[in-house]
Structures are given as structure tokens and as C-alpha cells.
Amino acid sequence: MRRGRDGRSERERVAFLLAGGVRLVYYGTPILAVPPLLRLIEDGKPPSLVVTRRDRPSGRGLALAPSPVRAAAEARGIPVATPERAGAPEEIERLRALAPDVLVLVAYGQILSPGLLRLPKIGAINVHFSLLPRHRGASPIQAAILAGDREAGVTTMWMTEKLDEGPVFSSLSTPIGPEEDAGSLGGRLAELGARCLSETLTRIERGEIVRRDQDPSRATYAPKLTREDSRLLLADDPVRFTRKVRAFAPEPGAYLELERERIQILSAAPGSIGAEAGPGEPPGSVLALHRERGLAIRLSSGSVWLKSVRPSGRKVMDAFAYANGARIKPGGMLPVKDLAA
């Protein structure tokens, strides 16, 4: 067993450091990062400091609103910092004064600098919303749905200077439902992430550090998504079209660019698969309108049912009501821009 200069093994050193209780600093921003934070508090491990994104404009009035993690932390009396940049000199000094044992990062939104990663006595743990090494990167939940994965998961990982490539401590998985969207899947993964983090820290405190390196040959990447990635195309096949809808629902919503407006599609189902559009039914043709199933349109290959939509500046409504209001009828055309796209 490899031992350090003080003669202790890694497990013995960690147990010695944590004899008086773990000191944590928590990095997180969106609603996904709230359950793991609350679980730390329930476990008797409240962070000494929560670091989160600065307040941003929100809602129709564009008033500044705190991140979900900031709201949750302040409601429980936990100090909060909102540095403009992770690893800024003033942040390094603030954390050095706190002398944390562990940094915990859950969907913070920025990469921690090498200086920050070297600061805690033990190290930094990332709760990543994927089954690493699959879907490393910024959008693992959307990537899992877009790829048609049958399961998703969470992983606790020791952070290194390489993006999501550190050794893995623990993973938990959950099946992805055939019609499940990113919102419902993300909510379930957030709860799994809380459990995975809790179990990981408990094992660290017991000196049960068992890490395994990731297999780089199995790695895939999920880069940060852009607005253009959520654009729905008539050239998409029905499976690709509906996976896009699920991956971007409920926010920001995949969208169709129409001649006079942009319409978000929040729920859709494949219609016919693989049937080529006939001469009388070009892509964009309205094939059917049904009170329960919605609005069926022709794609370049096959068709889809649009079930739930949100027109620009309006509330979510079912596609049947939208079509009636817009006077869209079978035999007509949905006025999609760039039909050849």
C-alpha cells in the first residue's frame, strides 16, 4: 500500500483530516443542484459557503432573480458568494480562509481553475448527471435523450484539471421512459445525485476510498447546446424530431420557425415512420387534426403528431386548439420557413 511522507495511507490520511467533521464549500447554480445541497444539510454537513452564479434578469419584467441554489442556501442561513469568475483572486483568498476539506460542484456553470482544485485539503468532488465516461460535458441529460439511451444516471467523480475525466467514485442509474422529457428526467436525476453524493461523502469519512479510472475508449462528449441545436427541421426523421422535442422540454423548448412566428413544440409523437412524402404531400403538409392526438404534419420522411405547443408570447396549449385558432386544416400547409432545410 502506497504511503505518504507522514507514513499514512490515503485512507488513513483522509480519516485523520475528517476526525472533527468535514468542512465543505458547495458550488452549484440551477434547480438540479438544489436537492444535493439540501441533502448535505439533512446529513449534518451544511457547507461553510455556497458559491453560485450572479443574479440574472428573469420573467417578463426582467427583474434580477437569484439562482435556485442561492435562494435555497439563503433561506437556510448559509453564506453565499457570487464571484464573476471562478478562481478570481478574491475568491481564492476567501476559500483559503475557510480551509475547506472538500469542494463539491453540482452544475455550477463554470470550470474550476487549477488554483481552486488545489485548495481543499482532500480534493474536489463533482456530481455529474451522466454515467461517465458517457456524455462528458455540459449537456449530459439532453445528450442521453438525443442519443436514444435507455438509461441515464449520476456519477460522483474526483475532479482533475481535465474536463470530466477524473476517477469515478460511485454511479447510480435510472431508466429513461419512452416519452420522458429532460424536465422530468432531470428532476429524478437531481434526487439520485443527492443520494449519490451523500453515500460518497459517508464512505470518504469512513476511509472507504475506492476510485476507478474511466475507460477513455468508451468516452462520448455532450458539448454546450446552442439555440440553433433546438431548431426542429422538416428534414428530421420522426424519431430524431421527437427526441429533440423531449431533450429541450420544458425549457427552453425545441421550436419550429414559421413564416410569422416561432412556435415551441413541447410534446410530440412519431406518426408514420419512413414513408416518403408523395408529390401531393410535401414536407409541412397538414395530414390530420385530432382532438386527442393533436396536429399531424408530413416530414421529409414520415410524419409526426404535434401534441403540445407554445406560440410566441402565449401560454402552453394543445396543438388541436392552436390549429383551430390559426385556421390550420388538413390538406393545408404549416407555414414553416425553409421547407428544404
Side-chain angles (χ1 to χ4, degrees), residues 151-218:
E151 66 173 5
V154 295
T155 299
T156 48
M157 174 198 70
W158 291 108
M159 295 178 67
T160 66
E161 294 182 17
K162 296 181 178 179
L163 179 65
D164 300 335
E165 296 185 26
V168 165
F169 198 96
S170 182
S171 295
L172 295 174
S173 64
T174 182
I176 301 176
E179 298 184 2
E180 188 163 33
D181 65 26
S184 62
L185 178 59
R188 196 163 66 254
L189 290 176
E191 296 297 333
L192 269 186
R195 178 182 148 196
C196 196
L197 175 62
S198 175
E199 293 175 356
T200 296
L201 288 172
T202 297
R203 293 171 66 185
I204 289 174
E205 287 181 306
R206 292 173 180 168
E208 300 173 358
I209 295 179
V210 179
R211 296 176 295 190
R212 57 180 170 82
D213 291 334
Q214 298 183 38
D215 179 358
S217 69
R218 297 176 53 240

Side-chain angles (χ1 to χ4, degrees), residues 108-125:
Y108 172 53
Q110 294 185 40
I111 296 174
L112 299 193
S113 66
L116 275 176
L117 294 178
R118 287 194 295 267
L119 198 145
K121 294 177 182 175
I122 297 173
I125 297 174

Side-chain angles (χ1 to χ4, degrees), residues 2-37:
R2 186 175 181 179
R3 294 183 178 275
R5 293 180 179 177
D6 58 1
R8 295 187 177 97
S9 69
E10 184 180 35
R11 294 183 185 186
E12 292 168 341
R13 184 178 68 85
V14 170
F16 174 77
L17 288 171
L18 297 181
V22 63
R23 290 178 60 84
L24 293 170
V25 170
Y26 189 87
Y27 283 77
T29 294
I31 191 70
L32 286 174
V34 171
L37 171 62

Side-chain angles (χ1 to χ4, degrees), residues 9-339:
S9 69
E10 184 180 35
R11 294 183 185 186
E12 292 168 341
R13 184 178 68 85
V14 170
F16 174 77
L17 288 171
L18 297 181
V22 63
R23 290 178 60 84
L24 293 170
V25 170
Y26 189 87
Y27 283 77
T29 294
I31 191 70
L32 286 174
V34 171
L37 171 62
L38 299 184
R39 182 62 180 265
L40 289 176
I41 298 171
E42 291 172 7
D43 287 351
K45 302 181 181 72
S48 303
L49 177 71
V50 165
V51 184
T52 187
R53 177 197 72 196
R54 292 191 166 184
D55 297 359
R56 289 184 175 178
S58 179
R60 291 190 174 184
L62 297 180
L64 289 178
S67 75
V69 162
R70 176 173 185 169
E74 290 184 336
R76 291 157 181 82
I78 299 175
V80 173
T82 59
E84 183 175 3
R85 178 175 57 85
E90 62 273 18
E91 186 188 2
I92 294 285
E93 289 306 311
R94 192 200 313 260
L95 264 64
R96 186 171 285 124
L98 291 172
D101 299 307
V102 175
L103 304 185
V104 174
L105 184 143
V106 186
Y108 172 53
Q110 294 185 40
I111 296 174
L112 299 193
S113 66
L116 275 176
L117 294 178
R118 287 194 295 267
L119 198 145
K121 294 177 182 175
I122 297 173
I125 297 174
N126 176 218
V127 178
H128 197 264
F129 293 102
S130 76
L131 295 171
L132 291 173
R134 186 162 176 79
H135 302 317
R136 292 171 174 170
S139 56
I141 298 175
Q142 291 80 6
I145 293 175
L146 288 170
D149 292 357
R150 294 186 176 181
E151 66 173 5
V154 295
T155 299
T156 48
M157 174 198 70
W158 291 108
M159 295 178 67
T160 66
E161 294 182 17
K162 296 181 178 179
L163 179 65
D164 300 335
E165 296 185 26
V168 165
F169 198 96
S170 182
S171 295
L172 295 174
S173 64
T174 182
I176 301 176
E179 298 184 2
E180 188 163 33
D181 65 26
S184 62
L185 178 59
R188 196 163 66 254
L189 290 176
E191 296 297 333
L192 269 186
R195 178 182 148 196
C196 196
L197 175 62
S198 175
E199 293 175 356
T200 296
L201 288 172
T202 297
R203 293 171 66 185
I204 289 174
E205 287 181 306
R206 292 173 180 168
E208 300 173 358
I209 295 179
V210 179
R211 296 176 295 190
R212 57 180 170 82
D213 291 334
Q214 298 183 38
D215 179 358
S217 69
R218 297 176 53 240
T220 62
Y221 291 88
K224 186 175 182 180
L225 296 169
T226 67
R227 190 64 177 145
E228 186 61 22
D229 291 320
S230 62
R231 183 181 182 186
L232 296 163
L233 303 173
L234 298 178
D236 291 329
D237 64 64
V239 172
R240 173 71 178 168
F241 189 101
T242 52
R243 283 179 183 171
K244 269 190 183 178
V245 170
R246 291 166 50 215
F248 291 93
E251 296 292 342
Y255 67 93
L256 276 170
E257 191 78 43
L258 304 186
E259 293 292 344
R260 295 184 178 179
E261 65 175 337
R262 178 176 290 185
I263 181 172
Q264 293 178 339
I265 312 300
L266 302 177
S267 178
S272 62
I273 305 291
E276 296 296 331
E281 291 180 344
S285 297
V286 177
L287 302 179
L289 187 59
H290 189 277
R291 185 175 296 277
E292 301 298 328
R293 301 186 70 184
L295 172 66
I297 62 169
R298 173 71 71 190
L299 302 179
S300 295
S301 176
S303 64
V304 291
W305 285 94
L306 309 183
K307 301 170 68 175
S308 177
V309 304
R310 179 164 50 205
S312 299
R314 298 164 67 183
K315 295 182 178 179
V316 177
M317 62 180 68
D318 62 65
F320 179 82
Y322 167 75
N324 281 329
R327 298 182 179 180
I328 297 171
K329 298 180 180 179
M333 293 286 293
L334 194 66
V336 180
K337 278 186 179 178
D338 191 11
L339 292 178

